[in-house]
Amino acid sequence: MKKKIVCAMMCVAMVATSLVGCGSSTDEGTADDAATETTDDGATEEAPADDTAAAGKVYYLNFKPEQADAWVDLAKTYTDETGVQVTVETAASGTYEQTLKSEMAKTDAPTLFQVNGPVGLASWKDYCYDLKDSELYKQVKSDDFVLKEGDAVEGIAYVIETYGLIYNKEILDNYFQKDYAVVKSVDEINGFDKLKAVADSIQENKDDLGVKGAFTSAGMDSSSDWRFKTHLANLPIYYEYKDKGIGSTDAIEGTYLDNYKQIWDLYITDSTCEPAMISSKTGEDAEAEFSMGEAVFFQNGTWEYANLINNGMTDDQLGMLPIYIGAPGEENQGLCTGSENYWCVNKNASEADIQATLDFLNWCVTSDAGRDAIANTMGFLTPFKSFDDGYTPANKLIECADEYIAAGKTAVSWNFASIPSEAWKDGVGAALTEYAQGTGDWDKVVDQFVINWAAEYAAAHME
């Protein structure tokens, strides 16, 4: 059953769509099953197979492991309804790009894939079908949610997400009652200095509070390191871009890397584990620590909500703060909101497969089954008008993001989509780990951030 939630920005009626399975027949035969017809003399002869019975097929290479089962289930629902074959494969965490390269080299390549923004599009634009005339594009609320090359619509975002510092309200409220509490309300935490004072105080009194640390472990294996080499790195990028009034650059200056250092220092010192241990810690470790009440703060996003609820937490326990790094004016900062998930259709697929893929996407965003799965099972907030008819996910963390917007706070944009390469992220991640373990100094992080940015950008834009 769909969940109706009133939202100020959602008011458009559902668009009904009739789906045709690319010429599939009404019987249960296939294009290979020849029909028969009766001649005037009563004999029967084999009639030529109807070309329109050859339905296209869909192969979706999914980026998000946490929604893998939900996409398989939705694909089955569509196949049961239309007869069109839909295959969903999901790349392992941190391996999407290499998996996509491998799959695209095969005869039966994905017909539907995704890129993570302008940088990802640069690598795959020669494979992207122009979606400007598609039914999917007609549902997009704004071109803010599309990737374009000239007039061509190369990619369309399918989920809007938000991240920040998820916190355990029960533990924090207990802390506020203590004599040693440095603030008495979460509303007082409106910048890095206050965040650090609270975290230091929690760490100092962790035994009394019954926790192992203020922050969950900053795991730096592939299931977790993206939280810091990408999502945390977005903050110094965002503020530098904001100062310059730009959305990308061929050479980052690193103006806010001292701020990056101080938030990273806070994460690894006021933590559930020693800094030297982070290379072996995983995303699952951090999730478990937070769910079990062993840590107060957990850097993550709206996509984590279902996991926390499944682990036994409740809405009453969950809140979210912005990631404060000590930048000027950050008291007016909201949460980090945007998308790095853009659907692209493979223009090198057959005409029938392209049409089948477009039909599948349209069904996903207009049918009751598709919208219910995307909003309520996957928990996605989408940029599509067709979801305004009550298909907003019941997600406490999304409500937190809306509260910051309602309070007039400025959302932090996802500028990490302009990071020049995965190699850049990996270099920064390795340097952060070495610094935490004491085997490298901060200067190496700076070099990876600044010098390697220019080098990777130049390599990506070589003619």
Side-chain angles (χ1 to χ4, degrees):
M1 179 180 294
K2 66 181 181 180
K3 299 178 181 177
K4 300 251 183 193
I5 297 177
V6 177
C7 181
M9 71 179 209
M10 299 192 170
C11 59
V12 181
M14 177 183 74
V15 178
T17 303
S18 137
L19 294 165
V20 179
C22 292
S24 58
S25 61
T26 56
D27 62 27
E28 295 183 357
T30 67
D32 294 327
D33 296 325
T36 61
E37 60 185 25
T38 304
T39 64
D40 290 340
D41 61 7
T44 59
E45 64 181 20
E46 189 173 69
D50 184 356
D51 288 340
T52 63
K57 59 185 183 301
V58 181
Y59 170 15
Y60 179 29
L61 184 62
N62 172 43
F63 174 79
K64 288 179 163 292
E66 59 269 31
Q67 277 82 32
D69 292 341
W71 274 115
V72 170
D73 291 344
L74 187 58
K76 183 179 184 303
T77 299
Y78 184 73
T79 298
D80 289 345
E81 182 176 316
T82 66
V84 175
Q85 177 187 337
V86 179
T87 301
V88 178
E89 297 291 344
T90 300
S93 180
T95 68
Y96 189 82
E97 193 71 10
Q98 68 189 63
T99 302
L100 181 58
K101 288 177 182 177
S102 174
E103 292 300 297
M104 280 299 195
K106 297 179 179 178
T107 302
D108 292 324
T111 65
L112 177 62
F113 63 101
Q114 76 171 68
V115 298
N116 65 355
V119 173
L121 179 62
S123 299
W124 293 101
K125 61 183 179 180
D126 291 341
Y127 290 80
C128 295
Y129 179 84
D130 185 359
L131 298 168
K132 70 174 179 293
D133 296 323
S134 68
E135 294 300 314
L136 180 70
Y137 180 54
K138 293 175 184 176
Q139 294 295 340
V140 180
K141 293 180 179 181
S142 165
D143 275 359
D144 290 340
F145 304 111
V146 304
L147 296 175
K148 284 189 169 184
E149 282 283 312
D151 293 330
V153 176
E154 309 266 300
I156 295 177
Y158 62 88
V159 57
I160 303 168
E161 297 177 306
T162 295
Y163 68 92
L165 289 177
I166 306 173
Y167 62 86
N168 187 312
K169 292 176 69 174
E170 286 185 350
I171 300 175
L172 209 50
D173 286 344
N174 181 36
Y175 166 77
F176 294 146
Q177 306 307 312
K178 301 294 185 179
D179 291 339
Y180 50 75
V182 296
V183 300
K184 295 300 181 181
S185 167
V186 71
D187 295 334
E188 295 180 54
I189 307 175
N190 61 355
F192 177 79
D193 289 343
K194 286 289 180 66
L195 176 65
K196 184 178 188 306
V198 170
D200 287 349
S201 177
I202 290 172
Q203 195 73 19
E204 182 179 350
N205 297 282
K206 62 183 181 181
D207 292 339
D208 180 62
L209 291 167
V211 300
K212 292 184 177 180
F215 293 91
T216 62
S217 54
M220 292 302 287
D221 90 319
S222 62
S223 69
S224 178
D225 63 350
W226 50 269
R227 295 190 292 139
F228 312 110
K229 69 183 186 182
T230 303
H231 284 189
L232 187 61
N234 183 69
L235 275 298
I237 296 170
Y238 165 77
Y239 276 105
E240 182 170 330
Y241 282 8
K242 184 180 178 183
D243 288 349
K244 296 178 178 179
I246 60 176
S248 64
T249 184
D250 59 350
I252 198 86
E253 292 182 14
T255 311
Y256 290 91
L257 289 187
D258 285 346
N259 304 84
Y260 189 39
K261 179 180 183 298
Q262 65 183 9
I263 187 64
W264 181 242
D265 284 344
L266 191 62
Y267 280 4
I268 63 176
T269 54
D270 290 354
S271 173
T272 57
C273 74
E274 293 299 317
M277 296 175 61
I278 65 172
S279 63
S280 64
K281 291 292 185 177
T282 68
E284 290 75 15
D285 291 331
E287 181 183 288
E289 291 161 9
F290 186 73
S291 299
M292 294 171 63
E294 296 176 353
V296 183
F297 301 108
F298 177 27
Q299 186 196 298
N300 220 311
T302 50
W303 54 87
E304 183 64 21
Y305 173 77
N307 292 335
L308 298 178
I309 296 301
N310 290 339
N311 287 346
M313 298 193 75
T314 67
D315 284 358
D316 290 340
Q317 293 176 295
L318 298 175
M320 194 184 294
L321 282 168
I323 301 173
Y324 296 118
I325 65 171
E330 68 179 0
E331 64 275 8
N332 296 314
Q333 171 189 314
L335 303 174
C336 302
T337 300
S339 183
E340 62 167 347
N341 302 282
Y342 294 83
W343 276 330
C344 302
V345 174
N346 184 359
K347 73 177 185 182
N348 297 322
S350 71
E351 184 176 338
D353 288 355
I354 289 173
Q355 188 58 53
T357 303
L358 295 174
D359 289 343
F360 173 64
L361 288 174
N362 185 42
W363 179 87
C364 284
V365 305
T366 59
S367 71
D368 285 348
R371 292 181 297 167
D372 181 63
I374 289 173
N376 298 322
T377 303
M378 301 181 198
F380 289 165
L381 181 67
T382 79
F384 303 116
K385 292 178 284 187
S386 52
F387 281 71
D388 289 351
D389 184 28
Y391 287 94
T392 305
N395 184 321
K396 177 63 177 179
L397 301 180
I398 291 176
E399 291 178 23
C400 292
D402 289 343
E403 288 169 4
Y404 278 97
I405 293 171
K409 303 299 183 181
T410 301
V412 172
S413 56
W414 285 22
N415 298 106
F416 56 77
S418 67
I419 287 173
S421 70
E422 287 297 316
W424 182 91
K425 297 177 187 178
D426 291 342
V428 170
L432 287 172
T433 304
E434 291 174 11
Y435 169 75
Q437 294 177 155
T439 56
D441 58 27
W442 187 255
D443 287 344
K444 186 170 182 179
V445 178
V446 174
D447 288 346
Q448 289 294 323
F449 209 102
V450 177
I451 297 174
N452 206 33
W453 182 295
E456 289 296 316
Y457 185 95
H461 291 79
M462 288 180 62
E463 295 295 337

Coordinates of all heavy atoms in Angstrom, one line a residue, residues 86-162:
V86 N 13.4 -8.5 -18.2 CA 14.3 -7.5 -17.5 C 15.3 -8.2 -16.6 O 14.9 -8.9 -15.7 CB 13.4 -6.5 -16.7 CG1 14.3 -5.4 -16.0 CG2 12.4 -5.8 -17.6
T87 N 16.5 -8.0 -16.9 CA 17.6 -8.5 -16.1 C 18.3 -7.4 -15.3 O 18.6 -6.4 -15.9 CB 18.7 -9.2 -17.0 OG1 18.0 -10.2 -17.8 CG2 19.8 -9.8 -16.2
V88 N 18.5 -7.6 -14.0 CA 19.1 -6.7 -13.2 C 20.4 -7.3 -12.5 O 20.3 -8.4 -11.9 CB 18.2 -6.1 -12.0 CG1 19.0 -5.2 -11.1 CG2 17.0 -5.5 -12.6
E89 N 21.5 -6.7 -12.8 CA 22.7 -7.1 -12.1 C 23.2 -5.9 -11.3 O 23.1 -4.8 -11.7 CB 23.8 -7.5 -13.1 CG 23.4 -8.7 -14.0 CD 23.4 -10.0 -13.2 OE1 23.9 -10.0 -12.1 OE2 22.8 -11.0 -13.7
T90 N 23.9 -6.2 -10.2 CA 24.3 -5.1 -9.3 C 25.8 -5.3 -9.1 O 26.3 -6.4 -8.7 CB 23.6 -5.2 -7.9 OG1 22.2 -5.0 -8.2 CG2 24.1 -4.1 -7.0
A91 N 26.6 -4.2 -9.3 CA 28.0 -4.2 -9.1 C 28.3 -4.2 -7.6 O 27.6 -3.6 -6.8 CB 28.7 -3.0 -9.8
A92 N 29.3 -4.9 -7.2 CA 29.8 -4.9 -5.8 C 30.2 -3.4 -5.4 O 30.6 -2.6 -6.3 CB 30.9 -5.8 -5.6
S93 N 30.0 -3.1 -4.2 CA 30.4 -1.8 -3.7 C 31.8 -1.4 -4.1 O 32.7 -2.1 -3.9 CB 30.3 -1.7 -2.1 OG 30.6 -0.5 -1.7
G94 N 31.9 -0.2 -4.7 CA 33.2 0.4 -5.1 C 33.7 -0.2 -6.4 O 34.8 0.2 -6.8
T95 N 32.9 -1.0 -7.1 CA 33.5 -1.6 -8.4 C 32.6 -1.3 -9.6 O 32.8 -1.9 -10.6 CB 33.5 -3.2 -8.2 OG1 32.2 -3.7 -8.2 CG2 34.3 -3.6 -7.0
Y96 N 31.7 -0.3 -9.5 CA 30.8 -0.1 -10.6 C 31.5 0.3 -11.9 O 31.1 -0.3 -12.9 CB 29.8 1.0 -10.2 CG 28.7 1.1 -11.2 CD1 27.6 0.3 -11.2 CD2 28.7 2.1 -12.3 CE1 26.5 0.3 -12.1 CE2 27.7 2.1 -13.2 CZ 26.6 1.3 -13.1 OH 25.6 1.3 -14.0
E97 N 32.4 1.2 -11.8 CA 33.0 1.6 -13.1 C 33.8 0.5 -13.8 O 33.6 0.3 -15.0 CB 34.0 2.8 -12.8 CG 34.5 3.5 -14.0 CD 33.4 4.4 -14.6 OE1 32.4 4.6 -14.0 OE2 33.7 4.9 -15.7
Q98 N 34.5 -0.3 -13.1 CA 35.2 -1.4 -13.7 C 34.2 -2.5 -14.2 O 34.4 -3.1 -15.3 CB 36.3 -2.0 -12.8 CG 35.7 -2.8 -11.6 CD 36.8 -3.1 -10.6 OE1 37.5 -2.3 -10.0 NE2 37.0 -4.4 -10.4
T99 N 33.1 -2.7 -13.4 CA 32.1 -3.6 -13.9 C 31.5 -3.2 -15.1 O 31.2 -3.9 -16.1 CB 31.1 -3.9 -12.7 OG1 31.8 -4.3 -11.6 CG2 30.0 -4.9 -13.2
L100 N 31.1 -1.9 -15.2 CA 30.5 -1.3 -16.4 C 31.4 -1.4 -17.6 O 30.9 -1.8 -18.7 CB 30.2 0.2 -16.1 CG 29.4 0.9 -17.3 CD1 28.1 0.2 -17.6 CD2 29.2 2.4 -16.9
K101 N 32.7 -1.2 -17.4 CA 33.6 -1.3 -18.6 C 33.6 -2.8 -19.1 O 33.6 -3.0 -20.3 CB 35.0 -0.9 -18.1 CG 35.2 0.6 -17.9 CD 36.6 0.9 -17.5 CE 36.7 2.4 -17.2 NZ 38.1 2.8 -16.7
S102 N 33.6 -3.7 -18.1 CA 33.6 -5.1 -18.5 C 32.3 -5.5 -19.2 O 32.4 -6.2 -20.3 CB 33.8 -6.0 -17.3 OG 33.7 -7.3 -17.6
E103 N 31.2 -5.1 -18.7 CA 29.9 -5.5 -19.2 C 29.6 -4.8 -20.6 O 29.0 -5.4 -21.5 CB 28.8 -5.1 -18.2 CG 28.8 -6.0 -17.0 CD 28.6 -7.4 -17.3 OE1 27.6 -7.8 -17.8 OE2 29.6 -8.2 -17.0
M104 N 30.1 -3.6 -20.8 CA 29.9 -2.9 -22.0 C 30.7 -3.5 -23.2 O 30.4 -3.3 -24.3 CB 30.3 -1.4 -21.9 CG 29.2 -0.6 -21.2 SD 27.7 -0.6 -22.2 CE 26.8 0.8 -21.4
A105 N 31.7 -4.3 -22.8 CA 32.5 -5.0 -23.9 C 31.9 -6.2 -24.3 O 32.3 -6.9 -25.3 CB 33.9 -5.2 -23.3
K106 N 30.8 -6.7 -23.7 CA 30.1 -7.9 -24.1 C 29.1 -7.7 -25.1 O 28.6 -6.6 -25.4 CB 29.5 -8.5 -22.8 CG 30.5 -8.9 -21.7 CD 29.8 -9.5 -20.5 CE 30.8 -9.9 -19.4 NZ 30.2 -10.5 -18.2
T107 N 28.7 -8.8 -25.8 CA 27.7 -8.8 -26.8 C 26.3 -8.3 -26.2 O 25.7 -7.4 -26.8 CB 27.5 -10.1 -27.5 OG1 28.7 -10.5 -28.0 CG2 26.4 -10.1 -28.6
D108 N 26.0 -8.9 -25.1 CA 24.7 -8.5 -24.4 C 25.1 -7.5 -23.4 O 25.1 -7.8 -22.2 CB 24.0 -9.7 -23.8 CG 23.5 -10.6 -24.9 OD1 23.0 -10.1 -25.9 OD2 23.5 -11.9 -24.7
A109 N 25.4 -6.2 -23.8 CA 25.8 -5.2 -22.9 C 24.6 -4.6 -22.2 O 23.4 -4.8 -22.6 CB 26.5 -4.1 -23.7
P110 N 24.8 -3.9 -21.1 CA 23.6 -3.3 -20.4 C 22.9 -2.3 -21.3 O 23.5 -1.6 -22.1 CB 24.3 -2.5 -19.2 CG 25.6 -3.2 -19.0 CD 26.0 -3.7 -20.3
T111 N 21.6 -2.3 -21.3 CA 20.8 -1.3 -22.0 C 20.5 -0.1 -21.1 O 20.2 1.0 -21.6 CB 19.5 -1.9 -22.5 OG1 18.7 -2.2 -21.3 CG2 19.7 -3.2 -23.3
L112 N 20.7 -0.3 -19.8 CA 20.4 0.8 -18.9 C 21.6 0.8 -17.9 O 21.9 -0.3 -17.3 CB 19.1 0.6 -18.1 CG 18.7 1.5 -17.0 CD1 18.5 2.9 -17.6 CD2 17.4 1.1 -16.4
F113 N 22.2 1.9 -17.7 CA 23.3 2.0 -16.8 C 23.3 3.4 -16.1 O 22.3 4.1 -16.3 CB 24.7 1.7 -17.5 CG 25.0 2.8 -18.5 CD1 25.9 3.8 -18.3 CD2 24.5 2.7 -19.8 CE1 26.3 4.7 -19.3 CE2 24.8 3.6 -20.8 CZ 25.7 4.6 -20.5
Q114 N 24.3 3.7 -15.3 CA 24.3 5.0 -14.7 C 25.7 5.6 -14.7 O 26.7 4.9 -14.7 CB 23.7 5.0 -13.3 CG 24.6 4.5 -12.2 CD 23.9 4.7 -10.9 OE1 22.9 4.1 -10.6 NE2 24.5 5.6 -10.1
V115 N 25.7 7.0 -14.6 CA 26.9 7.7 -14.4 C 26.7 8.6 -13.2 O 25.6 8.9 -12.8 CB 27.3 8.6 -15.7 CG1 27.6 7.7 -16.9 CG2 26.2 9.6 -15.9
N116 N 27.9 9.0 -12.6 CA 27.8 9.7 -11.3 C 27.8 11.2 -11.4 O 27.9 11.9 -10.4 CB 28.9 9.3 -10.4 CG 30.3 9.7 -10.9 OD1 30.4 10.2 -12.0 ND2 31.3 9.4 -10.1
G117 N 27.7 11.8 -12.7 CA 27.7 13.2 -12.8 C 28.5 13.6 -14.1 O 28.8 12.7 -14.9
P118 N 28.8 14.8 -14.2 CA 29.5 15.3 -15.4 C 30.8 14.6 -15.7 O 31.1 14.3 -16.9 CB 29.8 16.8 -15.1 CG 28.8 17.2 -14.1 CD 28.5 16.0 -13.3
V119 N 31.6 14.2 -14.7 CA 32.9 13.5 -14.9 C 32.6 12.1 -15.4 O 33.2 11.6 -16.4 CB 33.7 13.5 -13.6 CG1 34.9 12.6 -13.8 CG2 34.1 14.9 -13.2
G120 N 31.6 11.4 -14.8 CA 31.2 10.1 -15.3 C 30.7 10.2 -16.7 O 31.0 9.3 -17.5
L121 N 29.9 11.2 -17.0 CA 29.3 11.3 -18.3 C 30.4 11.5 -19.4 O 30.3 11.0 -20.5 CB 28.4 12.5 -18.4 CG 27.8 12.8 -19.7 CD1 26.9 11.7 -20.2 CD2 26.9 14.1 -19.7
A122 N 31.5 12.2 -19.0 CA 32.6 12.4 -20.0 C 33.2 11.1 -20.5 O 33.6 11.0 -21.6 CB 33.7 13.3 -19.3
S123 N 33.2 10.1 -19.6 CA 33.7 8.8 -20.0 C 32.7 7.9 -20.8 O 33.2 7.1 -21.6 CB 34.1 8.0 -18.7 OG 35.1 8.7 -17.9
W124 N 31.4 8.2 -20.7 CA 30.4 7.4 -21.3 C 29.5 8.1 -22.2 O 28.5 7.4 -22.7 CB 29.6 6.7 -20.2 CG 30.5 5.7 -19.4 CD1 31.0 5.9 -18.2 CD2 30.9 4.4 -19.8 NE1 31.7 4.9 -17.8 CE2 31.7 3.9 -18.7 CE3 30.7 3.6 -20.9 CZ2 32.3 2.6 -18.8 CZ3 31.2 2.4 -21.0 CH2 32.0 1.9 -19.9
K125 N 29.8 9.3 -22.6 CA 28.8 10.1 -23.4 C 28.6 9.5 -24.8 O 27.6 9.6 -25.4 CB 29.3 11.5 -23.6 CG 30.6 11.7 -24.2 CD 31.0 13.2 -24.2 CE 32.4 13.4 -24.8 NZ 32.8 14.9 -24.8
D126 N 29.6 8.7 -25.3 CA 29.5 8.1 -26.6 C 28.5 6.9 -26.6 O 28.2 6.3 -27.6 CB 30.8 7.6 -27.1 CG 31.7 8.8 -27.5 OD1 31.2 9.9 -27.7 OD2 33.0 8.6 -27.5
Y127 N 28.1 6.5 -25.4 CA 27.1 5.4 -25.2 C 25.7 5.9 -24.9 O 24.8 5.0 -24.8 CB 27.6 4.5 -24.1 CG 28.9 3.7 -24.5 CD1 30.1 4.3 -24.4 CD2 28.8 2.4 -24.9 CE1 31.3 3.5 -24.7 CE2 29.9 1.6 -25.2 CZ 31.2 2.2 -25.1 OH 32.3 1.5 -25.4
C128 N 25.5 7.2 -24.7 CA 24.3 7.7 -24.1 C 23.3 8.1 -25.2 O 23.5 8.9 -26.0 CB 24.6 8.9 -23.2 SG 25.5 8.5 -21.7
Y129 N 22.1 7.4 -25.1 CA 21.0 7.7 -26.0 C 20.4 9.1 -25.6 O 20.3 9.4 -24.4 CB 20.0 6.6 -25.8 CG 18.7 6.8 -26.7 CD1 18.7 6.4 -28.0 CD2 17.6 7.3 -26.1 CE1 17.5 6.5 -28.8 CE2 16.4 7.4 -26.8 CZ 16.4 7.0 -28.2 OH 15.2 7.2 -28.9
D130 N 20.0 9.9 -26.5 CA 19.4 11.2 -26.2 C 18.0 11.0 -25.7 O 17.1 10.5 -26.4 CB 19.4 12.0 -27.5 CG 18.9 13.5 -27.2 OD1 18.5 13.8 -26.0 OD2 18.8 14.2 -28.2
L131 N 17.7 11.4 -24.4 CA 16.5 11.1 -23.8 C 15.5 12.3 -23.9 O 14.4 12.3 -23.2 CB 16.7 10.8 -22.3 CG 17.5 9.5 -22.0 CD1 18.0 9.5 -20.5 CD2 16.7 8.3 -22.4
K132 N 15.8 13.3 -24.7 CA 15.0 14.5 -24.6 C 13.6 14.3 -25.1 O 12.7 15.1 -24.7 CB 15.7 15.6 -25.5 CG 15.7 15.5 -27.0 CD 16.3 16.7 -27.6 CE 16.3 16.6 -29.1 NZ 17.3 15.6 -29.6
D133 N 13.3 13.3 -25.9 CA 12.0 13.0 -26.4 C 11.3 11.9 -25.6 O 10.2 11.4 -26.0 CB 12.0 12.7 -27.9 CG 12.4 13.9 -28.7 OD1 12.1 15.0 -28.4 OD2 13.1 13.6 -29.7
S134 N 12.0 11.4 -24.5 CA 11.4 10.3 -23.8 C 10.3 10.7 -22.8 O 10.2 11.9 -22.4 CB 12.6 9.6 -23.0 OG 13.0 10.4 -22.0
E135 N 9.5 9.7 -22.5 CA 8.4 10.0 -21.5 C 9.1 10.2 -20.1 O 8.5 11.0 -19.3 CB 7.5 8.8 -21.4 CG 6.6 8.6 -22.7 CD 5.8 9.8 -23.0 OE1 5.1 10.3 -22.1 OE2 5.7 10.2 -24.2
L136 N 10.2 9.6 -19.9 CA 10.9 9.8 -18.6 C 11.3 11.3 -18.4 O 11.1 11.9 -17.3 CB 12.2 8.9 -18.5 CG 13.0 9.0 -17.3 CD1 12.3 8.4 -16.1 CD2 14.4 8.3 -17.5
Y137 N 11.8 11.9 -19.4 CA 12.3 13.3 -19.4 C 11.1 14.2 -19.1 O 11.2 15.2 -18.4 CB 13.0 13.7 -20.6 CG 13.5 15.1 -20.6 CD1 14.3 15.6 -19.6 CD2 13.2 16.0 -21.7 CE1 14.7 16.9 -19.6 CE2 13.6 17.3 -21.7 CZ 14.4 17.7 -20.6 OH 14.8 19.0 -20.6
K138 N 9.9 13.9 -19.7 CA 8.7 14.7 -19.5 C 8.3 14.7 -18.0 O 7.6 15.7 -17.6 CB 7.6 14.2 -20.3 CG 7.8 14.3 -21.8 CD 6.7 13.7 -22.6 CE 7.0 13.8 -24.1 NZ 5.9 13.1 -24.9
Q139 N 8.7 13.8 -17.2 CA 8.4 13.7 -15.8 C 9.3 14.5 -14.9 O 9.0 14.7 -13.7 CB 8.3 12.3 -15.3 CG 7.2 11.4 -16.0 CD 5.8 12.0 -15.6 OE1 5.6 12.7 -14.6 NE2 4.8 11.6 -16.4
V140 N 10.5 14.9 -15.4 CA 11.5 15.5 -14.6 C 11.1 17.0 -14.3 O 10.6 17.7 -15.1 CB 12.9 15.6 -15.3 CG1 13.9 16.3 -14.4 CG2 13.3 14.2 -15.6
K141 N 11.2 17.3 -13.0 CA 10.7 18.6 -12.5 C 11.5 19.8 -13.0 O 11.0 20.9 -13.2 CB 10.6 18.7 -11.0 CG 9.6 17.7 -10.4 CD 9.6 17.8 -8.9 CE 8.6 16.9 -8.3 NZ 8.6 17.0 -6.8
S142 N 12.8 19.5 -13.2 CA 13.7 20.6 -13.6 C 15.0 20.1 -14.3 O 15.4 19.0 -14.0 CB 14.1 21.4 -12.3 OG 15.2 22.2 -12.5
D143 N 15.5 20.9 -15.1 CA 16.8 20.5 -15.8 C 18.0 20.5 -14.8 O 19.1 20.1 -15.1 CB 17.1 21.4 -17.0 CG 16.4 21.0 -18.2 OD1 15.7 19.9 -18.2 OD2 16.6 21.6 -19.3
D144 N 17.7 20.9 -13.6 CA 18.7 20.8 -12.5 C 19.0 19.3 -12.3 O 20.1 19.0 -11.7 CB 18.3 21.4 -11.2 CG 18.2 22.9 -11.3 OD1 18.8 23.5 -12.2 OD2 17.5 23.5 -10.4
F145 N 18.2 18.4 -12.7 CA 18.3 17.0 -12.4 C 18.7 16.2 -13.7 O 18.5 15.0 -13.7 CB 17.0 16.4 -11.8 CG 16.6 17.1 -10.6 CD1 15.4 17.9 -10.6 CD2 17.3 17.1 -9.4 CE1 15.0 18.6 -9.5 CE2 16.9 17.8 -8.3 CZ 15.8 18.5 -8.3
V146 N 19.2 16.8 -14.7 CA 19.6 16.1 -15.9 C 21.0 16.5 -16.3 O 21.6 17.5 -15.9 CB 18.7 16.4 -17.1 CG1 17.2 16.1 -16.7 CG2 18.8 17.9 -17.5
L147 N 21.7 15.6 -17.0 CA 23.0 15.9 -17.6 C 22.8 16.1 -19.1 O 22.2 15.3 -19.8 CB 23.9 14.7 -17.4 CG 24.2 14.4 -15.9 CD1 25.1 13.1 -15.9 CD2 25.0 15.5 -15.3
K148 N 23.3 17.2 -19.6 CA 23.1 17.6 -21.0 C 24.5 17.7 -21.7 O 25.5 18.2 -21.1 CB 22.3 18.9 -21.1 CG 20.9 18.7 -20.9 CD 20.1 20.0 -21.3 CE 18.6 19.8 -21.3 NZ 17.9 21.0 -21.8
E149 N 24.5 17.4 -23.0 CA 25.6 17.7 -23.9 C 24.9 18.5 -25.0 O 24.3 17.9 -25.9 CB 26.2 16.4 -24.5 CG 27.2 15.8 -23.5 CD 28.5 16.4 -23.4 OE1 29.1 16.7 -24.5 OE2 29.0 16.7 -22.3
G150 N 25.1 19.8 -25.0 CA 24.3 20.7 -25.9 C 22.8 20.6 -25.6 O 22.4 20.7 -24.4
D151 N 22.0 20.2 -26.6 CA 20.6 20.0 -26.4 C 20.2 18.6 -26.0 O 19.1 18.3 -25.6 CB 19.8 20.4 -27.6 CG 19.9 21.9 -27.9 OD1 20.0 22.7 -27.0 OD2 19.8 22.3 -29.1
A152 N 21.2 17.7 -26.1 CA 20.9 16.3 -25.9 C 20.8 16.0 -24.4 O 21.7 16.5 -23.6 CB 22.0 15.4 -26.5
V153 N 19.8 15.3 -23.9 CA 19.7 14.9 -22.6 C 20.3 13.5 -22.4 O 19.8 12.5 -22.9 CB 18.2 14.8 -22.1 CG1 18.1 14.3 -20.7 CG2 17.6 16.2 -22.2
E154 N 21.5 13.4 -21.8 CA 22.3 12.2 -21.8 C 22.0 11.4 -20.5 O 22.2 10.2 -20.6 CB 23.8 12.6 -21.8 CG 24.2 13.5 -23.0 CD 24.6 12.8 -24.2 OE1 25.6 12.1 -24.1 OE2 24.0 12.9 -25.2
G155 N 21.6 12.0 -19.5 CA 21.4 11.3 -18.2 C 20.3 12.0 -17.4 O 20.2 13.2 -17.4
I156 N 19.5 11.2 -16.6 CA 18.5 11.8 -15.8 C 18.6 11.2 -14.4 O 18.7 10.0 -14.2 CB 17.1 11.4 -16.4 CG1 16.9 12.1 -17.7 CG2 16.0 11.8 -15.4 CD1 15.6 11.8 -18.4
A157 N 18.7 12.1 -13.4 CA 18.8 11.7 -12.0 C 17.5 11.0 -11.6 O 16.4 11.4 -11.9 CB 19.1 12.9 -11.1
Y158 N 17.7 9.9 -10.8 CA 16.5 9.2 -10.4 C 16.3 9.2 -8.9 O 15.3 8.7 -8.3 CB 16.5 7.7 -10.9 CG 17.7 6.9 -10.4 CD1 17.6 6.2 -9.2 CD2 18.8 6.7 -11.1 CE1 18.6 5.4 -8.7 CE2 19.9 6.0 -10.7 CZ 19.8 5.3 -9.5 OH 20.8 4.5 -9.0
V159 N 17.2 9.8 -8.1 CA 17.1 9.9 -6.7 C 17.8 11.1 -6.2 O 18.8 11.5 -6.7 CB 17.6 8.6 -6.0 CG1 19.1 8.4 -6.3 CG2 17.5 8.7 -4.5
I160 N 17.1 11.8 -5.3 CA 17.7 13.0 -4.6 C 18.0 12.5 -3.2 O 17.2 12.0 -2.5 CB 16.8 14.2 -4.6 CG1 16.3 14.6 -6.0 CG2 17.4 15.4 -3.9 CD1 15.2 15.5 -6.0
E161 N 19.3 12.7 -2.8 CA 19.7 12.2 -1.5 C 20.4 13.3 -0.6 O 20.8 14.3 -1.1 CB 20.7 11.0 -1.7 CG 20.0 9.8 -2.4 CD 21.0 8.7 -2.7 OE1 22.0 9.0 -3.3 OE2 20.7 7.6 -2.3
T162 N 20.4 13.0 0.6 CA 21.0 14.0 1.6 C 21.9 13.2 2.6 O 21.5 12.1 3.0 CB 19.8 14.7 2.4 OG1 19.1 15.5 1.4 CG2 20.4 15.6 3.4

